[in-house]
Amino acid sequence: MDWTDDAIVLSLRRHGEHGVILEALTRDHGRHLGLVHGGASSKRRATLQPGNSLRLHWRARLSEHLGSFTAELTRARAADMFEGRAALAGLNALTAVAAAVLPERERHTPAFEGAVALLDAIAGHGFTEWAPLFVRWELGLLDELGFGLDLARCAATGATDGLIYVSPRTGRAVSAGAGAEYREKLLPLPQFLLGNQATTPNESDIAAGLALTAHFLEQWVLAPHHKTLPEARARLGDLAARARTESA
């Protein structure tokens, strides 16, 4: 059994004296693990840093086996992200969320392609530029996993205008008028998620967007499997909340 695919490094853990278990998100083979012989060497570790893109070749005697990887570096991003607090938080959150919510060996090509674009943005831009993309990537994950939000019209009235809330129970948008009485129980709906390009998302919009996707990832995807939101993802939400407070 063998295949070759494009991949993003999610995590590493030591295996024996010289090897590592590589967890990667691949384009066509989903989240996949494999043994990298000699992966603990300093030269290999530089290649296998989280966030880097690889060309992976996987081989195993049987499909259900762990198998082994050989890896060729195609895009090094890790060094660009390790130097910035926000960029490192984004990298850690992305890899943690992908590892927590995507089933092993199940193809999710849009999630992979979105992660590549998001990592490039994190490596090359500031927080307020890439954080809205992070929110959209998580919305895409929810949709791929069968938990897409309905933000097109008001759940109560069917209106397509004035949508400013989301029901935390149903994931459907709610208009200002219909939600006025229950606003304390509803989640804010950032306008950039409605395709409104009139204004650039600010720190408040970003914090609200990250809180929105975190809620549904935890309640709909993770909790049924007795999991909680990864700490790295919670730290990204905290970072956004602090940025909102500082900008107020």
Side-chain angles (χ1 to χ4, degrees):
M1 304 295 298
D2 69 285
W3 47 256
T4 300
D5 203 353
D6 295 320
I8 298 165
V9 178
L10 297 181
S11 68
L12 294 174
R13 67 175 185 267
R14 289 293 293 264
H15 182 80
E17 186 175 354
H18 303 294
V20 297
I21 302 296
L22 168 64
E23 181 181 26
L25 177 60
T26 69
R27 182 186 301 276
D28 295 322
H29 297 84
R31 183 173 63 86
H32 213 288
L33 282 75
L35 172 65
V36 180
H37 297 284
S41 69
S42 57
K43 182 178 180 180
R44 290 286 182 87
R45 284 201 308 269
T47 295
L48 302 177
Q49 289 296 314
N52 283 351
S53 284
L54 308 174
R55 187 68 174 168
L56 282 182
H57 181 75
W58 179 79
R59 177 173 296 171
R61 189 169 65 86
L62 296 174
S63 61
E64 62 267 25
H65 287 179
L66 173 66
S68 62
F69 281 136
T70 56
E72 176 188 353
L73 181 67
T74 58
R75 176 72 187 274
R77 303 183 187 87
D80 294 330
M81 292 185 274
F82 285 168
E83 297 180 358
R85 179 186 178 192
L88 183 57
L91 167 63
N92 290 339
L94 183 151
T95 55
V97 168
V101 308
L102 290 174
E104 191 176 351
R105 302 191 180 193
E106 184 176 297
R107 178 176 180 173
H108 285 286
T109 301
F112 169 83
E113 293 177 343
V116 170
L118 177 54
L119 286 168
D120 286 342
I122 293 173
H125 301 283
F127 176 71
T128 56
E129 295 173 278
W130 61 256
L133 298 179
F134 198 105
V135 177
R136 292 191 180 99
W137 178 69
E138 290 190 325
L139 281 178
L141 286 180
L142 285 164
D143 191 55
E144 278 194 71
L145 295 170
F147 300 104
L149 305 189
D150 182 0
L151 306 180
R153 62 187 67 253
C154 176
T157 67
T160 58
D161 297 325
L163 304 176
I164 64 170
Y165 302 116
V166 178
S167 166
R169 185 178 61 85
T170 67
R172 299 181 66 188
V174 181
S175 66
E181 184 179 351
Y182 310 100
R183 60 182 179 275
E184 298 299 326
K185 298 179 180 181
L186 299 173
L187 298 170
L189 172 56
Q191 295 303 290
F192 73 89
L193 294 181
L194 301 177
N196 185 352
Q197 304 299 322
T199 58
T200 301
N202 58 26
E203 289 83 356
S204 181
D205 299 323
I206 291 167
L210 288 170
L212 179 71
T213 51
H215 172 82
F216 290 107
L217 284 171
E218 184 157 37
Q219 296 300 312
W220 287 356
V221 181
L222 296 170
H225 299 282
H226 309 290
K227 296 180 180 180
T228 59
L229 195 70
E231 290 185 9
R233 175 58 177 82
R235 287 195 293 271
L236 180 63
D238 292 342
L239 178 67
R242 287 195 297 272
R244 175 179 58 192
T245 300
E246 291 169 0
S247 67

